Structures are given as C-alpha cells and as structure tokens.
Amino acid sequence: MAYKLDRALSKGAQDFIDAEKLHSLLSTSKEDSVHIKEIFAKSAEKNPLTLEEVAALLSIKSEEGTAELFETAKTLKKKIYGNRIVLFAPLYIGNMCINDCAYCGFKKSAKSTIRKTLTAEEIRQEVKALQDEGQKRLILVFGESPLYSPDFIAASVREVYSVHSGNGAIRRVNINAAPMDVAGYKIIKAEGIGTYQIFQETYHRQTYSKYHPANTVKGDFMWRLDGLDRAFEAGIDDMGIGALIGLYDWRFEVLGLVSHAIHLKQKFGVGPHTISFPRIQPATDMNLELPYTCSDSDFRKLVAILRLAVPYTGMIMTARESPQIRNEVIHLGVSQIDAGTHLEIGGYNNKTHNQQLEREQFQVGDTRGLEEASKWLIDEGFIPSFCTSCYRAGRTGEHFMEFAEKGFIQKFCTPNALLTLAEYLQDYASEDTRQAGMKLITKELENIEEGAWKEKIKDNLRKINLGERDLRL
C-alpha cells in the first residue's frame, strides 16, 4: 500500500507554548544579583533551569552580571563536553517547496530561485566531494514537497551511506525535513538516521502566521509544533529543535525553545539532542522589515543562557554567522558547528566555491573550508571532532542522558574526538594543520588519567598512524 500522509494526527496535539505566561515572565523579571548568583550555582551543578530562572537570566543588563553569565556558560560547557567542537556539513538534496515562508529563498513564490533536486548519481558525487575533504557527518536538507516523501528521503540516506572514497565514509546522517506522520518517520528511521531536526522558526503564534501563509502546509502552527512528538512515537529518540532568530523577540524565542525542551523531557523522558539558533540572513526575493533583529551582544547572551538552561543539549551555531562572531560566541557554550558549508544544490562539486544566492536558501556568513575551520578551532584550543560513536553504539535518547548525567560523555567523547581528529590529520590535512593538531592531541592526552584506559587510547592512536580507521571507544 502506497504511503499517504495523515495530517489528522495533529488534532489532539498539546500546545505547550503558554504565550501569556512567557510574556508575563519577560515583563516582570528584574535583574536581582542575589537570585541570579543562585541560578548560576544551580547551573554549575549541571541542573536544567525552569522558565522562571531562564527569564531571570534574560533580565541581566549589568556588565558584572553579563560577565558572570559568560564565564558560567564557558565553565559548564567544558565540564560537560570538554574542549570538543563537533563538525558537520549540510547537504541540500532539493529545493522544491510548496510553502511560501516570507524569509526563505526556497519559497514557492520566489521568481529568481533556480529549482533543482539531486539525482541519485548527483548525491553520490556530492558525498564523494564531501568525503574527499574529510567530512564524516552530514545533515540532509529537503524543501517541503510531495516529491520529498519519506521513501525519497530514505532512498537519499541509502545513497549517502553507500559512498566510500578512499578512507572516507559518512558515519552519521541527520535529517532536516518537513514534519511527518508516524508512518513516515518510521520509514526514514529504518535507514539508520541520527537526529531528526525541525525548526519551529518562531514560537510566537501571531508572528508565525505573519510569515507562514495559512493556505500552505507550514501555515499550520500545531502540525509543526507536534512534529517531534510524532517522531518520538515512531521510535526516533534523537531530536533537534531550533528557532529562526529575528522573526520575533529573541528573549521570547529562548523561552519557547526551553518550553519545548521541557515538554519533550516531561512527555518522553528525554529532551532535544540539539538546539539551533540561526539568525535570519538575506535570501533571494526577500524584502522584509524585521523589527526584532538580534544584535551581536544579545546573540552572545542568547547562547550563554541556552547553555545554562539545557546543560546536556548540544548547541549548534550555524555558518549563517560571520567568522568574527563565530570566534566570539563559540566559547560561550557552543558544541557543534557546520564547516565547509555550501547551500546551493550541487555546490560541493562547484570548484569555484562562490556563493550563488539564487541557488541557496539564504546567504552564508562563514565560507571557510573544512580545513581552515579545523585549523581555527585547533588554534583556539578546541578539538575538532568527527565522532559518531554514541549514535552507532546506541547511546541516544534516554541512554545518552544516562551516560551524560554520570559524566561518561567526557570520558568517551574526548578520546573519540581525538581519534577522529587523528584520522582527519592523517588523511586530509595540510602539514601545518597536521602539526598543530598533533600538538593538541598530545596536550589533551596529558589531561587523561594514567592507566589502562589511557593506554588503550594511545594504542588506537598508534593504529591510526599505521593506517587503521574507524577505531572508537
């Protein structure tokens, strides 16, 4: 029997965004240094925050309070995730779309957009180009169209996993696609995906209606809000949420994201695996007045507050941001970034690497290649990580939280990050990057306690140097 989307499933969905409460919290919360220090102390113990506590942090305006906010976020990130920064790349499969989101270069009314869907062979060529740069983790991105059914998405995932160029292999495929029904999610899950990512765009209903016409699928606020609940019901336990910062008050969006995380934790026992917070950027045929732009200084606060609010959730800062902003913000709690990013359909085989906005969803701010980004991270003291071990070992969902809350993530993830960095340095890096990376690996090894575990890590590093690959703990 052919698959048919069942959108009736959202009729009983729970609307967990209490806009009146969120606005009240924002209007009544005042900076109280004593209370805020108590919240910082709670965060330092890796405890998630309540909406009221997040609102209190959002009220911080003083230089002293802001400085302590940043320092607490830095410390907490290092305590949970160590010095790792996970790297990935987005791969846009197709930009056909039945929606008409006012801010998007792929909207159906965009006259300048060049429409394309990659063929199976073109997917393989894109993946080969990505592998030849050293990428190990991808997120596949699809417009919302009947063409991009669960079966089509599943077939795309199979194509990606089938490609092996030299020592290259994509070890984890995440998905950014339209919300599905339970049956659709099950089809996609069967292909061994990692995270399923859905951005609500904005948690403010009136603003959502303003930018998403009611006569489109995306115009249904509750169908989208309930999207990850249905994914959990289908057995996918690794979720990514996000808001497009700049459509509405960034403080409200922070409370919306935290509300979403709390809802998932209460209903399913595990919150989102990642939170993204992209700021709106120029796109083809976009002509908008945006009264809620988020300044660079507020963006730094946003990231630090989210880090404290949801301590065990991965924080993704996208290449929408400039290298300068990424360099400033990455220290405040970010744990994942995309690098070597091309958004145009087929862009990884475009050797000129020039942006072509009519082929892109939006303008990229950081156009550095994977090696340049990796060298930047190394110079900043971070470990560029290509690790996929937790997902392949079944440490997802509630199992991930069991490991994370006991501090095992650092124990496993830092060594695995070092192993994947060593692979990258051997197979893809220039001599300058290789030398800098090996110095970093040596330095990080010094921080690991002597014993059998450290000897196993060193033994795996020796094996990688001799040509073995995909060694993980």
Side-chain angles (χ1 to χ4, degrees):
M1 183 176 179
Y3 168 80
K4 185 177 180 180
L5 180 69
D6 183 6
R7 291 191 60 216
L9 291 176
S10 68
K11 289 183 178 179
Q14 177 185 350
D15 186 356
F16 49 83
I17 300 298
D18 187 342
E20 184 177 350
K21 176 181 178 179
L22 302 189
H23 279 127
S24 176
L25 287 172
L26 290 175
S27 63
T28 59
S29 296
K30 306 298 180 184
E31 184 173 3
D32 179 336
S33 61
V34 174
H35 181 44
I36 286 171
K37 285 184 181 297
E38 292 172 349
I39 297 172
F40 288 154
K42 178 180 178 180
S43 296
E45 296 303 316
K46 301 182 283 189
N47 294 308
L49 302 182
T50 65
L51 288 172
E52 290 75 13
E53 289 166 337
V54 174
L57 297 185
L58 288 167
S59 73
I60 295 175
K61 293 183 174 60
S62 67
E63 291 185 9
E64 296 81 5
T66 300
E68 191 170 358
L69 167 68
F70 291 167
E71 192 59 37
T72 306
K74 291 178 187 177
T75 302
L76 181 62
K77 189 270 176 181
K78 189 168 185 178
K79 185 183 294 186
I80 295 176
Y81 288 96
N83 290 328
R84 301 174 302 117
I85 298 291
V86 173
L87 296 173
F88 69 94
L91 174 56
Y92 278 68
I93 302 297
N95 62 359
M96 303 297 291
C97 198
I98 59 175
N99 293 317
D100 212 18
C101 311
Y103 49 80
C104 182
F106 291 168
K107 61 181 176 284
K108 67 179 181 181
S109 63
K111 295 180 173 58
S112 303
T113 299
I114 298 172
R115 306 288 177 177
K116 181 173 177 57
T117 300
L118 296 178
T119 66
E121 176 58 27
E122 287 170 331
I123 290 174
R124 290 192 290 270
Q125 290 302 314
E126 288 288 278
V127 174
K128 181 181 183 301
L130 285 157
Q131 287 182 2
D132 289 346
E133 291 178 355
Q135 298 281 8
K136 294 290 189 290
R137 303 163 59 109
L138 301 183
I139 184 164
L140 306 189
V141 186
F142 303 81
E144 183 159 4
S145 166
L147 292 174
Y148 309 139
S149 67
D151 292 306
F152 178 86
I153 294 173
S156 300
V157 173
R158 288 195 296 272
E159 291 296 344
V160 171
Y161 280 139
S162 73
V163 179
H164 299 278
S165 178
N167 285 331
I170 300 303
R171 298 171 182 168
R172 174 174 166 87
V173 175
N174 299 331
I175 302 294
N176 182 309
M180 302 287 171
D181 59 14
V182 174
Y185 285 123
K186 287 182 177 179
I187 292 170
I188 298 168
K189 179 184 185 299
E191 299 306 323
I193 66 164
T195 302
Y196 200 103
Q197 185 183 76
I198 299 174
F199 293 175
Q200 188 63 25
E201 315 297 9
T202 174
Y203 287 92
H204 186 249
R205 269 184 175 272
Q206 288 73 27
T207 301
Y208 189 93
S209 298
K210 176 182 177 181
Y211 292 112
H212 306 100
N215 62 344
T216 62
V217 176
K218 199 166 178 179
D220 187 340
F221 181 88
M222 284 308 302
W223 172 255
R224 195 164 190 87
L225 191 66
D226 189 55
L228 292 180
D229 286 48
R230 298 191 300 275
F232 267 113
E233 292 165 13
I236 300 175
D237 62 0
D238 209 79
M239 306 295 174
I241 64 174
L244 182 55
I245 306 302
L247 296 181
Y248 190 60
D249 186 338
W250 67 272
R251 302 173 304 154
F252 184 93
E253 305 297 7
V254 167
L255 291 176
L257 288 165
V258 176
S259 296
H260 204 160
I262 290 172
H263 165 76
L264 293 174
K265 175 69 172 177
Q266 289 177 341
K267 186 172 181 179
F268 300 102
V270 59
H273 187 73
T274 59
I275 291 180
S276 301
F277 33 86
R279 286 193 290 181
I280 194 166
Q281 297 293 343
T284 298
D285 292 352
M286 185 180 91
N287 184 23
L288 296 177
E289 291 185 9
L290 298 168
Y292 293 103
T293 55
C294 178
S295 68
D296 292 346
S297 60
D298 285 340
F299 187 63
R300 288 189 282 270
K301 288 182 180 178
L302 178 156
V303 175
I305 291 169
L306 280 174
R307 168 47 61 216
L308 301 189
V310 281
Y312 292 106
T313 297
M315 302 274 288
I316 299 177
M317 178 171 56
T318 73
R320 288 174 181 254
E321 302 299 333
S322 69
Q324 177 184 350
I325 293 300
R326 285 182 123 187
N327 192 52
E328 294 174 5
V329 174
I330 200 165
H331 297 273
L332 301 177
V334 171
S335 56
Q336 295 189 30
I337 63 169
D338 53 326
T341 297
H342 293 282
L343 303 188
E344 63 270 25
I345 313 298
Y348 292 103
N349 276 294
N350 177 2
K351 301 305 181 183
T352 63
H353 284 191
N354 293 325
Q355 293 192 68
Q356 301 175 33
L357 199 57
E358 68 276 10
R359 298 178 184 271
E360 301 179 1
Q361 189 178 21
F362 52 84
Q363 184 172 298
V364 175
D366 188 350
T367 59
R368 290 175 294 183
L370 178 59
E371 174 158 4
E372 188 177 358
S374 297
K375 181 60 164 54
W376 157 60
L377 291 175
I378 291 168
D379 289 344
E380 291 294 318
F382 292 111
I383 307 167
S385 175
F386 302 85
C387 179
T388 58
S389 297
C390 280
Y391 318 104
R392 296 160 77 198
R395 296 192 288 263
T396 62
E398 289 185 273
H399 298 297
F400 174 84
M401 291 306 298
E402 290 171 7
F403 280 95
E405 290 173 356
K406 294 175 183 176
F408 289 178
I409 292 301
Q410 265 205 55
K411 178 180 178 182
F412 284 104
C413 290
T414 294
N416 283 326
L418 295 177
L419 296 178
T420 59
L421 175 58
E423 283 190 19
Y424 174 78
L425 297 173
Q426 291 288 337
D427 293 340
Y428 305 103
S430 66
E431 185 59 29
D432 183 42
T433 301
R434 185 179 299 114
Q435 288 185 12
M438 292 309 297
K439 287 181 181 178
L440 179 64
I441 290 173
T442 300
K443 179 181 177 181
E444 288 290 334
L445 278 173
E446 293 174 355
N447 297 326
I448 298 175
E449 186 178 347
E450 295 291 342
W453 191 249
K454 183 171 184 177
E455 288 306 312
K456 183 175 179 60
I457 298 166
K458 292 166 70 174
D459 184 53
N460 280 348
L461 287 169
R462 284 190 289 268
K463 290 177 179 177
I464 289 170
N465 190 49
L466 294 172
E468 291 190 45
R469 294 293 178 266
D470 199 13
L471 301 174
R472 51 193 169 96
L473 304 172

